[in-house]
Amino acid sequence: HPFDRALRPLPLTQHKRVWALYLKFARQYNLPETAIRVYRRYVKLCPEDSEEFVEYLSSIGRLDEAAVKMMEILNNEEFVSKQGKSKHQLWQDLCHLVSKNPDKVTSVNVDAILRGGLRRFTDMAGQLWCLLSDYYIRAGHFEKARDVYEEAIQTLTTVRDFGQVFDAYAQFEESMINSKMESISESSKDEDLDLELRLARFEVLMDRRPLLLSSVLLRQNPHNVHEWQKRVALFEGKPREVINMYTEAIQTVDVQQAVGKPHALWVAFAKFYEENGQIAEACVVFEKATKVKFRNVEDLATVWCEYAEMELRHDNFSRALQLLQRATAMPAHRAEYYDKSVPVQNRLYKSLRVWSMYADLEESLGSFEVSDGLWWDSSVLGSKF
Protein backbone atom coordinates (compact mmCIF):
# COMPACT_ATOMS: atom_id res chain seq x y z
CA HIS A 1 0.00 0.00 0.00
CA PRO A 2 1.34 3.52 -0.77
CA PHE A 3 1.00 4.57 2.89
CA ASP A 4 3.01 1.57 4.03
CA ARG A 5 5.69 2.29 1.47
CA ALA A 6 5.75 5.93 2.60
CA LEU A 7 6.28 4.92 6.23
CA ARG A 8 9.20 2.56 5.62
CA PRO A 9 11.91 5.07 4.64
CA LEU A 10 10.81 7.78 7.12
CA PRO A 11 12.33 8.13 10.58
CA LEU A 12 9.92 7.59 13.51
CA THR A 13 9.90 11.29 14.30
CA GLN A 14 8.10 11.99 11.02
CA HIS A 15 5.67 9.04 11.03
CA LYS A 16 2.85 11.05 12.57
CA ARG A 17 2.58 13.20 9.48
CA VAL A 18 1.79 10.12 7.41
CA TRP A 19 -0.36 8.40 10.02
CA ALA A 20 -2.79 11.32 10.16
CA LEU A 21 -3.53 10.86 6.44
CA TYR A 22 -3.46 7.06 6.72
CA LEU A 23 -6.12 7.00 9.48
CA LYS A 24 -8.28 9.50 7.63
CA PHE A 25 -8.11 7.28 4.55
CA ALA A 26 -8.92 4.12 6.59
CA ARG A 27 -12.00 5.72 8.15
CA GLN A 28 -13.20 7.23 4.88
CA TYR A 29 -14.27 3.93 3.33
CA ASN A 30 -16.48 1.17 4.69
CA LEU A 31 -13.64 -1.25 5.26
CA PRO A 32 -13.72 -1.88 9.04
CA GLU A 33 -11.27 -4.78 9.04
CA THR A 34 -8.65 -2.74 7.20
CA ALA A 35 -9.20 0.26 9.44
CA ILE A 36 -8.90 -1.86 12.58
CA ARG A 37 -5.59 -3.31 11.40
CA VAL A 38 -4.32 0.17 10.67
CA TYR A 39 -5.37 1.44 14.10
CA ARG A 40 -3.76 -1.54 15.84
CA ARG A 41 -0.44 -0.66 14.25
CA TYR A 42 -0.89 3.03 15.00
CA VAL A 43 -1.58 2.67 18.74
CA LYS A 44 1.60 0.62 19.10
CA LEU A 45 3.47 3.69 17.97
CA CYS A 46 1.22 6.21 19.73
CA PRO A 47 -0.52 4.51 22.70
CA GLU A 48 -1.70 7.92 23.93
CA ASP A 49 -4.26 7.85 21.07
CA SER A 50 -5.86 4.60 22.25
CA GLU A 51 -9.07 6.44 23.14
CA GLU A 52 -9.51 7.36 19.48
CA PHE A 53 -9.21 3.66 18.59
CA VAL A 54 -11.83 2.77 21.22
CA GLU A 55 -14.22 5.37 19.83
CA TYR A 56 -13.79 3.99 16.32
CA LEU A 57 -14.40 0.41 17.50
CA SER A 58 -17.55 1.52 19.31
CA SER A 59 -18.80 3.39 16.25
CA ILE A 60 -18.62 0.26 14.05
CA GLY A 61 -20.11 -2.05 16.71
CA ARG A 62 -16.91 -3.88 17.63
CA LEU A 63 -17.70 -3.49 21.31
CA ASP A 64 -15.87 -6.59 22.48
CA GLU A 65 -12.52 -5.36 21.20
CA ALA A 66 -13.35 -1.85 22.46
CA ALA A 67 -13.84 -3.25 25.97
CA VAL A 68 -10.57 -5.16 25.79
CA LYS A 69 -8.74 -2.03 24.66
CA MET A 70 -10.27 0.00 27.48
CA MET A 71 -9.06 -2.62 29.95
CA GLU A 72 -5.55 -2.19 28.57
CA ILE A 73 -5.84 1.58 28.98
CA LEU A 74 -6.94 1.27 32.60
CA ASN A 75 -4.22 -1.25 33.43
CA ASN A 76 -1.58 1.11 32.05
CA GLU A 77 -0.61 3.29 35.01
CA GLU A 78 1.31 5.68 32.74
CA PHE A 79 -1.61 6.37 30.40
CA VAL A 80 -2.81 10.00 30.33
CA SER A 81 -6.08 10.75 28.56
CA LYS A 82 -5.75 13.27 25.73
CA GLN A 83 -9.44 14.07 26.28
CA GLY A 84 -8.76 15.05 29.88
CA LYS A 85 -10.58 12.09 31.42
CA SER A 86 -9.56 10.77 34.81
CA LYS A 87 -9.15 7.08 35.64
CA HIS A 88 -12.49 7.34 37.39
CA GLN A 89 -14.22 8.59 34.22
CA LEU A 90 -12.52 5.97 32.04
CA TRP A 91 -13.69 3.29 34.45
CA GLN A 92 -17.23 4.63 34.28
CA ASP A 93 -17.12 4.49 30.48
CA LEU A 94 -15.96 0.87 30.61
CA CYS A 95 -18.65 -0.10 33.12
CA HIS A 96 -21.42 1.43 31.00
CA LEU A 97 -20.05 -0.21 27.85
CA VAL A 98 -19.87 -3.75 29.24
CA SER A 99 -23.08 -3.64 31.28
CA LYS A 100 -25.30 -2.47 28.43
CA ASN A 101 -23.98 -4.93 25.83
CA PRO A 102 -23.86 -8.42 27.34
CA ASP A 103 -24.47 -10.06 23.96
CA LYS A 104 -21.56 -8.27 22.28
CA VAL A 105 -18.94 -8.13 25.04
CA THR A 106 -17.71 -11.68 25.63
CA SER A 107 -13.93 -11.48 26.04
CA VAL A 108 -13.91 -9.82 29.46
CA ASN A 109 -15.35 -10.86 32.81
CA VAL A 110 -18.02 -8.23 33.30
CA ASP A 111 -18.91 -9.38 36.82
CA ALA A 112 -15.27 -9.12 37.92
CA ILE A 113 -14.88 -5.69 36.27
CA LEU A 114 -17.89 -4.19 38.05
CA ARG A 115 -17.03 -5.78 41.40
CA GLY A 116 -13.51 -4.45 41.02
CA GLY A 117 -15.06 -1.02 40.53
CA LEU A 118 -17.06 -1.48 43.72
CA ARG A 119 -13.85 -2.01 45.67
CA ARG A 120 -12.01 0.90 44.05
CA PHE A 121 -14.75 3.52 43.79
CA THR A 122 -16.90 3.31 46.89
CA ASP A 123 -18.59 6.62 46.05
CA MET A 124 -20.16 4.91 43.01
CA ALA A 125 -21.42 1.83 44.86
CA GLY A 126 -25.11 2.37 44.14
CA GLN A 127 -24.53 3.07 40.44
CA LEU A 128 -22.19 0.09 39.98
CA TRP A 129 -24.57 -2.35 41.69
CA CYS A 130 -27.34 -1.16 39.39
CA LEU A 131 -25.09 -1.60 36.34
CA LEU A 132 -24.20 -5.14 37.42
CA SER A 133 -27.87 -6.03 37.86
CA ASP A 134 -28.71 -4.36 34.55
CA TYR A 135 -26.05 -6.51 32.86
CA TYR A 136 -27.72 -9.71 34.05
CA ILE A 137 -31.18 -8.41 33.19
CA ARG A 138 -30.10 -7.60 29.62
CA ALA A 139 -28.48 -11.04 29.42
CA GLY A 140 -31.79 -12.63 30.46
CA HIS A 141 -30.48 -13.98 33.79
CA PHE A 142 -33.28 -12.59 35.96
CA GLU A 143 -32.63 -14.72 39.04
CA LYS A 144 -28.98 -13.71 39.01
CA ALA A 145 -30.01 -10.06 38.71
CA ARG A 146 -32.26 -10.51 41.74
CA ASP A 147 -29.39 -12.08 43.68
CA VAL A 148 -27.22 -9.06 42.85
CA TYR A 149 -29.90 -6.64 44.06
CA GLU A 150 -30.26 -8.61 47.30
CA GLU A 151 -26.50 -8.63 47.84
CA ALA A 152 -26.38 -4.89 47.25
CA ILE A 153 -29.10 -3.90 49.70
CA GLN A 154 -27.52 -6.13 52.34
CA THR A 155 -24.09 -4.50 52.03
CA LEU A 156 -24.57 -0.81 51.15
CA THR A 157 -23.63 1.71 53.82
CA THR A 158 -25.16 4.98 52.60
CA VAL A 159 -28.82 5.97 52.36
CA ARG A 160 -28.24 7.55 48.93
CA ASP A 161 -26.85 4.34 47.42
CA PHE A 162 -29.51 2.25 49.13
CA GLY A 163 -32.30 4.42 47.72
CA GLN A 164 -30.82 4.19 44.23
CA VAL A 165 -30.51 0.39 44.32
CA PHE A 166 -33.83 -0.23 46.07
CA ASP A 167 -35.73 1.90 43.55
CA ALA A 168 -34.08 0.00 40.68
CA TYR A 169 -34.89 -3.31 42.40
CA ALA A 170 -38.55 -2.34 42.85
CA GLN A 171 -38.75 -1.16 39.23
CA PHE A 172 -37.27 -4.49 38.10
CA GLU A 173 -39.85 -6.51 40.06
CA GLU A 174 -42.64 -4.29 38.78
CA SER A 175 -41.47 -4.78 35.18
CA MET A 176 -41.43 -8.54 35.73
CA ILE A 177 -45.06 -8.38 36.87
CA ASN A 178 -46.11 -6.23 33.90
CA SER A 179 -44.28 -8.51 31.49
CA LYS A 180 -46.04 -11.55 32.90
CA MET A 181 -49.46 -9.88 32.74
CA GLU A 182 -48.91 -8.90 29.11
CA SER A 183 -47.76 -12.39 28.13
CA ILE A 184 -50.76 -14.18 29.62
CA SER A 185 -53.03 -15.03 26.71
CA GLU A 186 -55.32 -17.48 28.38
CA SER A 187 -55.83 -17.96 32.06
CA SER A 188 -54.14 -21.11 33.31
CA LYS A 189 -53.42 -22.38 36.76
CA ASP A 190 -49.63 -22.34 36.35
CA GLU A 191 -49.54 -18.82 34.91
CA ASP A 192 -51.87 -17.49 37.60
CA LEU A 193 -49.67 -19.06 40.26
CA ASP A 194 -46.54 -17.53 38.76
CA LEU A 195 -48.19 -14.11 38.64
CA GLU A 196 -49.29 -14.40 42.28
CA LEU A 197 -45.74 -15.36 43.23
CA ARG A 198 -44.33 -12.27 41.50
CA LEU A 199 -46.92 -10.03 43.17
CA ALA A 200 -46.15 -11.52 46.58
CA ARG A 201 -42.42 -11.06 46.01
CA PHE A 202 -42.97 -7.39 45.16
CA GLU A 203 -45.15 -6.82 48.25
CA VAL A 204 -42.59 -8.47 50.53
CA LEU A 205 -39.85 -6.29 49.06
CA MET A 206 -41.80 -3.10 49.76
CA ASP A 207 -42.62 -4.27 53.28
CA ARG A 208 -38.92 -4.94 53.94
CA ARG A 209 -37.84 -1.42 53.04
CA PRO A 210 -37.94 0.14 56.57
CA LEU A 211 -35.97 -2.76 58.02
CA LEU A 212 -33.43 -2.71 55.20
CA LEU A 213 -32.97 1.05 55.61
CA SER A 214 -32.46 0.52 59.34
CA SER A 215 -29.73 -2.00 58.56
CA VAL A 216 -27.97 0.54 56.33
CA LEU A 217 -27.96 3.14 59.11
CA LEU A 218 -26.66 0.62 61.64
CA ARG A 219 -23.89 -0.44 59.28
CA GLN A 220 -22.83 3.22 59.29
CA ASN A 221 -22.68 3.22 63.09
CA PRO A 222 -23.64 0.03 65.01
CA HIS A 223 -23.38 1.98 68.29
CA ASN A 224 -26.27 4.35 67.53
CA VAL A 225 -28.75 3.76 70.35
CA HIS A 226 -31.53 5.78 68.72
CA GLU A 227 -31.38 3.69 65.53
CA TRP A 228 -31.58 0.48 67.55
CA GLN A 229 -34.67 1.78 69.34
CA LYS A 230 -36.26 2.63 65.97
CA ARG A 231 -35.37 -0.83 64.69
CA VAL A 232 -37.03 -2.50 67.69
CA ALA A 233 -40.19 -0.45 67.03
CA LEU A 234 -40.43 -2.01 63.56
CA PHE A 235 -41.21 -5.37 65.22
CA GLU A 236 -44.09 -4.11 67.34
CA GLY A 237 -46.53 -6.96 67.98
CA LYS A 238 -43.86 -9.63 67.42
CA PRO A 239 -42.48 -10.48 70.90
CA ARG A 240 -39.88 -13.02 69.80
CA GLU A 241 -38.39 -10.63 67.23
CA VAL A 242 -38.41 -7.76 69.76
CA ILE A 243 -36.46 -9.87 72.26
CA ASN A 244 -33.97 -10.87 69.56
CA MET A 245 -33.50 -7.23 68.54
CA TYR A 246 -32.95 -6.03 72.10
CA THR A 247 -30.49 -8.87 72.69
CA GLU A 248 -28.59 -8.03 69.51
CA ALA A 249 -28.60 -4.33 70.40
CA ILE A 250 -27.14 -4.68 73.90
CA GLN A 251 -24.53 -7.14 72.58
CA THR A 252 -23.54 -4.85 69.71
CA VAL A 253 -23.51 -1.39 71.27
CA ASP A 254 -20.23 -0.48 72.91
CA VAL A 255 -21.22 1.80 75.79
CA GLN A 256 -17.94 3.71 75.47
CA GLN A 257 -18.61 4.52 71.79
CA ALA A 258 -22.38 4.79 71.99
CA VAL A 259 -24.27 7.65 70.39
CA GLY A 260 -27.17 8.34 72.71
CA LYS A 261 -27.92 6.77 76.09
CA PRO A 262 -26.94 3.07 76.14
CA HIS A 263 -28.68 2.47 79.45
CA ALA A 264 -31.98 3.28 77.72
CA LEU A 265 -31.73 0.00 75.78
CA TRP A 266 -31.39 -2.02 78.98
CA VAL A 267 -34.26 -0.20 80.66
CA ALA A 268 -36.53 -0.56 77.62
CA PHE A 269 -35.68 -4.26 77.36
CA ALA A 270 -36.59 -4.83 81.00
CA LYS A 271 -39.81 -2.83 80.64
CA PHE A 272 -40.79 -4.94 77.64
CA TYR A 273 -40.62 -8.06 79.80
CA GLU A 274 -42.50 -6.25 82.58
CA GLU A 275 -45.30 -5.18 80.24
CA ASN A 276 -45.69 -8.78 79.19
CA GLY A 277 -45.92 -10.04 82.78
CA GLN A 278 -42.44 -11.62 82.88
CA ILE A 279 -41.09 -9.92 85.99
CA ALA A 280 -38.41 -12.54 86.64
CA GLU A 281 -36.94 -12.00 83.18
CA ALA A 282 -37.08 -8.23 83.68
CA CYS A 283 -35.09 -8.62 86.91
CA VAL A 284 -32.47 -10.68 85.07
CA VAL A 285 -32.07 -7.87 82.51
CA PHE A 286 -31.76 -5.22 85.23
CA GLU A 287 -29.21 -7.31 87.15
CA LYS A 288 -27.07 -7.63 84.04
CA ALA A 289 -27.43 -3.91 83.38
CA THR A 290 -26.08 -3.04 86.85
CA LYS A 291 -22.80 -4.74 85.89
CA VAL A 292 -22.28 -2.81 82.62
CA LYS A 293 -19.34 -0.38 82.61
CA PHE A 294 -21.26 2.74 81.55
CA ARG A 295 -19.44 5.98 80.79
CA ASN A 296 -21.33 8.05 83.36
CA VAL A 297 -22.42 7.36 86.91
CA GLU A 298 -25.87 8.77 86.18
CA ASP A 299 -26.44 6.10 83.52
CA LEU A 300 -25.95 3.39 86.13
CA ALA A 301 -27.98 5.38 88.68
CA THR A 302 -30.88 5.49 86.22
CA VAL A 303 -30.75 1.71 85.86
CA TRP A 304 -30.91 1.18 89.63
CA CYS A 305 -33.74 3.67 90.07
CA GLU A 306 -35.74 2.12 87.21
CA TYR A 307 -35.14 -1.30 88.75
CA ALA A 308 -36.48 -0.13 92.10
CA GLU A 309 -39.47 1.66 90.49
CA MET A 310 -40.44 -1.56 88.73
CA GLU A 311 -40.52 -3.36 92.08
CA LEU A 312 -42.64 -0.53 93.53
CA ARG A 313 -45.12 -0.80 90.64
CA HIS A 314 -45.67 -4.41 91.66
CA ASP A 315 -45.90 -3.60 95.38
CA ASN A 316 -42.59 -5.26 96.23
CA PHE A 317 -41.63 -2.49 98.65
CA SER A 318 -39.11 -4.40 100.72
CA ARG A 319 -37.41 -5.62 97.54
CA ALA A 320 -37.18 -2.01 96.29
CA LEU A 321 -35.55 -0.95 99.57
CA GLN A 322 -33.04 -3.79 99.35
CA LEU A 323 -32.09 -2.74 95.80
CA LEU A 324 -31.44 0.85 96.85
CA GLN A 325 -29.45 -0.33 99.85
CA ARG A 326 -27.25 -2.34 97.48
CA ALA A 327 -26.88 0.66 95.17
CA THR A 328 -25.78 3.02 97.97
CA ALA A 329 -23.49 0.55 99.73
CA MET A 330 -19.93 1.76 100.17
CA PRO A 331 -17.54 -0.02 97.78
CA ALA A 332 -14.33 -1.66 98.98
CA HIS A 333 -12.34 0.94 97.07
CA ARG A 334 -13.86 4.39 97.20
CA ALA A 335 -13.35 6.92 94.43
CA GLU A 336 -14.23 10.44 93.44
CA TYR A 337 -17.50 10.92 91.57
CA TYR A 338 -15.83 12.25 88.40
CA ASP A 339 -12.82 9.92 88.41
CA LYS A 340 -13.14 8.31 84.96
CA SER A 341 -10.33 5.85 85.67
CA VAL A 342 -12.56 4.00 88.15
CA PRO A 343 -15.61 1.91 87.07
CA VAL A 344 -18.96 3.59 87.63
CA GLN A 345 -19.96 0.82 90.04
CA ASN A 346 -17.35 2.10 92.51
CA ARG A 347 -18.62 5.67 92.20
CA LEU A 348 -22.36 4.97 92.34
CA TYR A 349 -22.51 5.45 96.13
CA LYS A 350 -22.03 9.19 95.50
CA SER A 351 -25.05 9.55 93.21
CA LEU A 352 -27.56 12.00 94.70
CA ARG A 353 -30.28 10.56 92.49
CA VAL A 354 -30.00 7.11 94.08
CA TRP A 355 -29.68 8.54 97.59
CA SER A 356 -32.72 10.79 97.09
CA MET A 357 -34.89 7.90 95.96
CA TYR A 358 -33.61 5.75 98.83
CA ALA A 359 -34.40 8.49 101.35
CA ASP A 360 -37.87 9.13 99.88
CA LEU A 361 -38.70 5.43 99.97
CA GLU A 362 -37.40 5.01 103.50
CA GLU A 363 -39.42 8.03 104.58
CA SER A 364 -42.57 6.50 103.10
CA LEU A 365 -42.02 2.94 104.30
CA GLY A 366 -39.49 3.09 107.16
CA SER A 367 -38.87 5.19 110.22
CA PHE A 368 -38.30 8.91 110.46
CA GLU A 369 -34.94 8.45 112.15
CA VAL A 370 -33.58 6.26 109.35
CA SER A 371 -34.85 8.56 106.57
CA ASP A 372 -33.44 11.61 108.36
CA GLY A 373 -30.08 9.88 108.59
CA LEU A 374 -30.18 9.06 104.91
CA TRP A 375 -30.88 12.67 103.96
CA TRP A 376 -27.96 13.70 106.13
CA ASP A 377 -25.64 11.13 104.50
CA SER A 378 -26.67 12.21 101.01
CA SER A 379 -26.12 15.89 101.80
CA VAL A 380 -22.65 15.10 103.19
CA LEU A 381 -21.74 13.11 100.09
CA GLY A 382 -23.10 15.88 97.89
CA SER A 383 -20.91 18.48 99.60
CA LYS A 384 -17.82 16.39 98.78
CA PHE A 385 -18.39 16.39 95.06
Side-chain angles (χ1 to χ4, degrees):
H1 195 279
F3 282 108
D4 293 328
R5 291 197 298 270
L7 287 167
R8 287 191 191 106
L10 289 176
L12 283 175
T13 54
Q14 296 183 27
H15 273 209
K16 281 195 174 183
R17 299 174 66 180
V18 176
W19 276 113
L21 297 172
Y22 201 172
L23 292 173
K24 182 179 179 181
F25 167 78
R27 292 194 301 265
Q28 190 173 359
Y29 299 98
N30 188 22
L31 298 170
E33 288 300 329
T34 301
I36 289 172
R37 290 192 182 98
V38 172
Y39 262 112
R40 285 173 183 164
R41 292 167 56 195
Y42 174 64
V43 295
K44 288 180 180 178
L45 176 66
C46 301
E48 65 273 12
D49 289 324
S50 295
E51 285 177 285
E52 183 182 332
F53 185 23
V54 170
E55 290 177 358
Y56 177 73
L57 289 170
S58 300
S59 68
I60 62 174
R62 298 290 288 268
L63 301 181
D64 191 49
E65 188 170 353
V68 173
K69 196 62 189 176
M70 288 190 73
M71 286 290 294
E72 292 178 10
I73 291 173
L74 286 164
N75 290 331
N76 183 1
E77 295 297 331
E78 297 179 356
F79 180 82
V80 177
S81 172
K82 293 182 72 173
Q83 299 177 11
K85 292 184 178 181
S86 64
K87 288 281 186 182
H88 188 278
Q89 290 171 312
L90 290 171
W91 193 274
Q92 278 185 302
D93 292 343
L94 174 63
C95 291
H96 282 283
L97 175 66
V98 298
S99 65
K100 295 186 182 302
N101 300 280
D103 55 331
K104 296 180 180 179
V105 178
T106 56
S107 298
V108 296
N109 189 334
V110 177
D111 191 284
I113 289 173
L114 292 172
R115 289 183 183 276
L118 285 167
R119 290 188 293 272
R120 292 180 63 181
F121 306 111
T122 55
D123 59 319
M124 291 175 56
Q127 182 182 351
L128 289 172
W129 279 115
C130 289
L131 287 175
L132 183 55
S133 300
D134 188 44
Y135 166 75
Y136 285 114
I137 292 170
R138 290 173 183 270
H141 304 310
F142 301 124
E143 288 302 322
K144 183 64 177 176
R146 187 175 286 112
D147 291 342
V148 170
Y149 277 127
E150 283 292 331
E151 183 183 355
I153 59 179
Q154 297 291 342
T155 55
L156 288 169
T157 56
T158 68
V159 175
R160 183 198 64 181
D161 289 336
F162 170 78
Q164 186 176 2
V165 173
F166 187 87
D167 290 345
Y169 190 6
Q171 188 176 358
F172 163 68
E173 292 291 3
E174 195 171 357
S175 67
M176 293 292 288
I177 293 170
N178 294 335
S179 176
K180 187 63 180 178
M181 293 179 70
E182 291 173 2
S183 66
I184 294 178
S185 55
E186 295 180 5
S187 179
S188 67
K189 188 175 181 179
D190 290 341
E191 289 183 335
D192 289 345
L193 187 61
D194 185 38
L195 181 58
E196 288 179 10
L197 178 63
R198 296 186 186 200
L199 288 167
R201 183 184 285 132
F202 180 70
E203 290 175 4
V204 169
L205 175 63
M206 300 309 292
D207 291 341
R208 288 169 59 203
R209 191 181 192 282
L211 188 60
L212 291 169
L213 181 58
S214 171
S215 298
V216 171
L217 295 170
L218 287 173
R219 280 195 290 274
Q220 290 180 356
N221 182 5
H223 309 295
N224 191 321
V225 175
H226 181 60
E227 287 303 329
W228 278 109
Q229 291 173 322
K230 288 168 63 177
R231 187 176 180 84
V232 170
L234 295 175
F235 293 97
E236 186 176 0
K238 300 177 181 178
R240 188 178 298 275
E241 286 81 357
V242 170
I243 292 171
N244 290 338
M245 280 299 103
Y246 272 126
T247 303
E248 184 181 355
I250 60 178
Q251 289 175 347
T252 303
V253 174
D254 184 337
V255 294
Q256 300 303 322
Q257 302 179 49
V259 177
K261 300 178 179 179
H263 69 274
L265 286 172
W266 289 92
V267 172
F269 192 9
K271 284 186 176 180
F272 173 78
Y273 274 124
E274 180 191 0
E275 290 167 359
N276 286 274
Q278 296 175 278
I279 307 303
E281 285 77 4
C283 289
V284 170
V285 173
F286 272 125
E287 286 293 335
K288 289 182 178 180
T290 61
K291 297 177 176 62
V292 176
K293 307 299 184 184
F294 294 108
R295 278 182 300 190
N296 303 312
V297 175
E298 284 309 298
D299 293 344
L300 182 60
T302 301
V303 170
W304 278 103
C305 291
E306 291 285 352
Y307 193 0
E309 286 175 5
M310 182 192 73
E311 296 293 357
L312 291 175
R313 285 194 291 271
H314 296 277
D315 299 330
N316 297 326
F317 304 117
S318 59
R319 169 74 173 159
L321 272 174
Q322 291 171 8
L323 289 174
L324 294 173
Q325 287 169 1
R326 284 172 55 194
T328 54
M330 296 289 182
H333 302 285
R334 300 183 184 183
E336 295 300 319
Y337 184 82
Y338 293 108
D339 187 355
K340 297 288 185 179
S341 64
V342 180
V344 289
Q345 282 75 11
N346 289 358
R347 295 180 279 146
L348 179 65
Y349 76 100
K350 287 197 170 185
S351 170
L352 287 179
R353 178 173 183 177
V354 178
W355 277 102
S356 297
M357 185 174 182
Y358 185 18
D360 284 339
L361 192 58
E362 190 66 55
E363 186 177 354
S364 300
L365 304 175
S367 64
F368 173 78
E369 291 78 7
V370 174
S371 63
D372 188 52
L374 291 176
W375 282 114
W376 172 256
D377 290 343
S378 65
S379 64
V380 171
L381 285 169
S383 66
K384 293 181 180 180
F385 279 7

